[in-house]
Amino acid sequence: TGRLDIPALRQAVIDVITRHTPLRTLVRHGDGQPYQHRLPPPDAASALSLVHTTPGALAARVARFCDRAFDPGADRPLRTALFRLNPAEHVLVLAAHPLAADHGSLGPLLRDLSEAYSARRTGARPDWAPLQQDYTGHTLGERARDGQCAGPGARAARTPSTGRRRDAEPIAFRLSPRLGREIAALARESGATVLMVLQTAVAATLSTLGAGAVVPVDVYVPGRPDASLDLLVGRFAHTLTLRADVSGDPSFRGLLARVRAVNLAAYDRRDLPHACPAAPSGAPFLPVTLSLDDGERARPELPGLAVRALPTRRRDIRCALAISFTAEPAEAAGSAGSAGAAGAAGAPVPAEAPLPAGSARYGAGGMTALIEYRPELFDEPAASRLAHGLVRLLERSLSAPDRPLSLLALPAPEPP
């Protein structure tokens, strides 16, 4: 909101794409092998499209823009658009192919965009410090270690292919500030993370609802072990499928200890590019993605403008279930708010594990939560039962974490 210098913003986008080569690198195939093809920086006409729209049409137009598929061999991996509502209100949308940028890339991308815009407004070039690492060199090093195992209990994530996907309205629910504080306290007492407590609850709930004794959950690990990588845009995050063994009727605290042991073994080798299979051969597997957002929205700081991040959700759900939690600040505790997993518009918000346990920002204001699902694999009543069962299990388990899960009297799965 404010007086936007559109030519300066357009040039700033060109500056950022020039600086970060993954944003202008295609992945093509030749002789059966993928290879990188680096494009020159875009020209002004293609760097940032300007779209005139209205507030009523904005959400649908942004969704269409974000949902349009990328061809990694032909399309620039960063798609940008500026939606103009009126002379004083604009919405900047950045949609990146996952080969070019992960959630950890939002920070450096938006910081560099801010610096470039500030400079271009005055007719200057951005005065960035040189990047200490080259992303291409980093990826070649990763490929040299390809095929190694990321640790016990981890395996490479897979996605079922079921043909054309359909959209479904997500199920929104909320964890109270009291539950948020209890989750953070149990994590702190157990030497675990808040994400591990949530994974334990999800695994126990899914097992109770018929998912079996071993419940795999997909999480993302950042994959930036060197601080010099923090300034780069690229794909560093790895997907690990971490299994929770619910067999033998453990207590919630006991199951959390199992989850912690498995996860830490995987996190110890999170810099490796792939996980190895650890589940029994032929075991059924419908991927469940779990994410935790600390609620701090990445956003650019643009001089002369008030900038805020707008929530968006992914309509193309590639897993069976996507369960996302967003921490609320303490001052928001009295307001339920609407649930959503959002960063900058068009950017997915994955779980960057491990996360610090017991931090006040993960519990003081409670959490909003969202269950997104593939309607060809789940229906709305099943997703609603999962949300209800998850909240009920947390309420009962956190008040008596040493009680066996079988004594929590959770709702039994309904017949199909």
Side-chain angles (χ1 to χ4, degrees), residues 13-36:
V13 170
I14 296 174
D15 291 332
V16 169
I17 294 175
T18 303
R19 176 172 167 84
H20 295 285
T21 56
L23 301 179
R24 52 186 177 91
T25 299
L26 307 181
V27 178
R28 293 177 172 171
H29 287 76
D31 298 326
Q33 295 294 325
Y35 67 92
Q36 296 181 353

Side-chain angles (χ1 to χ4, degrees), residues 168-176 291 293 295 297 310-314 322-328 332 335-343 349 365-372 387 390-391:
E169 284 301 314
I171 304 298
F173 60 102
R174 186 171 182 270
L175 305 184
S176 68
S291 66
D293 181 12
R297 302 286 186 253
L310 297 180
T312 186
R313 69 181 180 90
R314 297 171 62 184
I323 307 174
S324 55
F325 292 87
T326 301
E328 294 182 330
S335 167
S338 60
V349 181
M367 300 181 191
T368 55
L370 202 69
I371 295 179
E372 298 172 279
L390 183 57
V391 175

Side-chain angles (χ1 to χ4, degrees), residues 26-166:
L26 307 181
V27 178
R28 293 177 172 171
H29 287 76
D31 298 326
Q33 295 294 325
Y35 67 92
Q36 296 181 353
H37 175 72
R38 190 169 295 174
L39 298 173
D43 55 28
S46 60
L48 182 66
S49 58
L50 180 63
V51 182
H52 293 265
T53 187
T54 64
L58 176 66
R61 299 194 72 165
V62 168
R64 284 197 300 271
F65 179 84
C66 293
D67 290 345
R68 197 167 75 245
F70 282 92
D71 178 352
D75 298 333
R76 288 186 180 273
L78 178 67
R79 183 182 300 145
T80 61
L82 185 67
F83 291 86
R84 183 183 179 95
L85 300 175
N86 58 59
E89 288 186 288
H90 297 80
V91 176
L92 174 65
V93 184
L94 309 173
H97 191 282
L99 287 176
D102 58 13
H103 184 58
S105 299
L106 266 181
L109 190 156
L110 296 180
R111 283 195 300 271
D112 286 349
L113 182 67
S114 301
E115 291 185 32
Y117 177 77
S118 299
R120 292 296 180 179
R121 284 179 79 233
T122 64
R125 294 177 179 269
D127 185 21
W128 287 315
L131 296 174
Q132 299 178 33
Q133 286 258 23
D134 175 71
Y135 180 75
T136 301
H138 168 78
T139 57
L140 292 175
E142 291 286 279
R143 286 186 63 187
R145 292 179 289 183
D146 201 1
Q148 300 185 63
C149 179
R155 61 179 175 175
R158 295 176 285 158
T159 301
S161 178
T162 55
R164 184 178 180 182
R165 299 186 179 99
R166 295 179 289 116

Side-chain angles (χ1 to χ4, degrees), residues 105-274:
S105 299
L106 266 181
L109 190 156
L110 296 180
R111 283 195 300 271
D112 286 349
L113 182 67
S114 301
E115 291 185 32
Y117 177 77
S118 299
R120 292 296 180 179
R121 284 179 79 233
T122 64
R125 294 177 179 269
D127 185 21
W128 287 315
L131 296 174
Q132 299 178 33
Q133 286 258 23
D134 175 71
Y135 180 75
T136 301
H138 168 78
T139 57
L140 292 175
E142 291 286 279
R143 286 186 63 187
R145 292 179 289 183
D146 201 1
Q148 300 185 63
C149 179
R155 61 179 175 175
R158 295 176 285 158
T159 301
S161 178
T162 55
R164 184 178 180 182
R165 299 186 179 99
R166 295 179 289 116
D167 194 21
E169 284 301 314
I171 304 298
F173 60 102
R174 186 171 182 270
L175 305 184
S176 68
R178 177 186 59 80
L179 270 182
R181 290 191 296 270
E182 290 177 356
I183 288 171
L186 181 60
R188 184 170 54 249
E189 293 167 9
S190 306
T193 67
V194 169
L195 183 63
M196 291 178 190
V197 177
L198 295 173
Q199 180 189 345
T200 300
V202 168
T205 305
L206 288 172
S207 181
T208 300
L209 296 175
V214 177
V215 181
V217 175
D218 289 359
V219 300
Y220 293 87
V221 291
R224 296 179 188 242
D226 187 336
S228 65
L229 299 176
D230 292 345
L231 299 178
L232 297 183
V233 170
R235 180 177 176 85
F236 297 90
H238 311 314
T239 303
L240 293 181
T241 300
L242 302 170
R243 63 175 184 167
D245 182 358
V246 194
S247 63
D249 194 22
S251 66
F252 190 87
R253 194 190 302 272
L255 180 57
L256 175 59
R258 295 180 185 179
V259 167
R260 178 183 182 276
V262 166
N263 290 17
L264 288 180
Y267 296 157
D268 281 343
R269 306 188 67 177
R270 62 185 180 270
D271 59 315
L272 297 179
H274 291 288

